């Protein structure tokens, strides 16, 4: 009987940890998406403008290179911000659960 109650308590704790992890990853995805959108706009405008105005860029940056520059910056922004957000949220949650245990 006591073991059954302990199993239920551990399952409830596991469900709570799973929901915290899911929320943590969702926050990371949203923050990363926002950062990627901002980085795309901030990179695309100067890249396209320089490819049209500067002679060296006009000769050497074809549309594929321009797209590669923009997508690389957007991808880096997404993963960096998502990772930092997930880690910050996980740290905040770990401190909150540690405080509630005492």
């Amino acid at each position: 009987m006591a073991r059954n109650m302990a199993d239920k308590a551990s399952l409830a704790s596991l469900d709570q940890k799973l929901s915290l992890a899911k929320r943590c990853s969702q926050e990371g995805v949203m923050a990363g998406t926002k950062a990627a959108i901002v980085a795309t706009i901030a990179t695309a405008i100067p890249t396209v403008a320089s490819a049209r105005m500067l002679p060296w860029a006009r000769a050497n940056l074809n549309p594929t290179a321009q797209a590669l520059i923009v997508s690389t910056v957007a991808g880096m922004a997404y993963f960096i911000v998502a990772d930092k957000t997930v880690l910050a949220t996980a740290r905040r949650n770990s401190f909150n659960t540690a405080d509630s245990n005492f």
Side-chain angles (χ1 to χ4, degrees), residues 5-6 44 46 48 65-66 68 75 83 85 93 101:
M5 294 295 280
V48 172
Q66 295 171 30
L68 184 62
D83 184 47
T85 304
N93 288 338
N101 288 339

Side-chain angles (χ1 to χ4, degrees), residues 40-53 57 61-62 65-67 69-70 73:
T40 299
I41 294 168
T43 307
I45 293 170
T47 302
V48 172
S50 66
R52 300 214 190 287
M53 292 184 222
L61 292 179
N62 61 10
Q66 295 171 30
I69 291 168
V70 173
V73 171

Side-chain angles (χ1 to χ4, degrees), residues 2-17:
R3 183 174 181 176
N4 193 15
M5 294 295 280
D7 288 342
K8 286 183 182 181
S10 67
L11 283 177
S13 174
L14 185 62
D15 286 342
Q16 183 181 13
K17 288 179 184 178

